[in-house]
């Protein structure tokens, strides 16, 4: 990603997404509204929820969506459980 100095001064820092490890649905939505992401250079034990419209990792999202709904649910539940364990 290349940005001018002006863009750098007024735009938030972008992080490189390493992996999508979960998804969440809000208010009876039929599609995920947030994804649980890990970032390059940061602990996989502390993924963060990111709104779908704030993401810029189309290739990873495409790969994630190829998984069955059951597999995405299983992975999401496992990632959330790991997050909870890390908090303790």
């Amino acid at each position: 990603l290349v940005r001018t100095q002006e863009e750098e001064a007024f735009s938030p820092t972008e992080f490189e997404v390493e992996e999508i490890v979960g998804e969440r649905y809000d208010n009876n939505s039929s599609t995920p509204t947030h994804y649980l992401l890990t970032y390059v250079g940061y602990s996989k034990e502390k993924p963060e929820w990111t709104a779908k419209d704030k993401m810029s990792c189309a290739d990873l999202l495409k790969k994630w969506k190829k998984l069955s709904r059951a597999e995405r649910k299983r992975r999401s539940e496992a990632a959330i459980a790991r997050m909870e364990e890390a908090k303790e």
Side-chain angles (χ1 to χ4, degrees), residues 5-67:
Q5 284 182 330
E6 184 177 310
E7 288 172 326
E8 188 70 38
F10 293 105
S11 61
T13 304
E14 290 192 24
F15 298 94
E16 183 179 352
V17 176
E18 183 170 358
E19 184 179 12
I20 298 173
V21 295
E23 63 186 17
R24 152 172 98 189
Y25 297 75
D26 289 342
N27 302 325
N28 299 325
S29 175
S30 62
T31 60
T33 56
H34 292 79
Y35 289 92
L36 193 56
L37 309 177
T38 61
Y39 295 93
V40 173
Y42 292 87
S43 172
K44 287 188 173 198
E45 299 303 314
K46 295 183 180 180
E48 294 190 13
W49 289 108
T50 303
K52 181 180 178 180
D53 61 349
K54 302 286 184 193
M55 294 172 49
S56 60
C57 55
D59 291 344
L60 289 175
L61 190 55
K62 188 175 182 179
K63 181 179 173 184
W64 175 259
K65 288 181 176 182
K66 284 184 179 181
L67 299 171

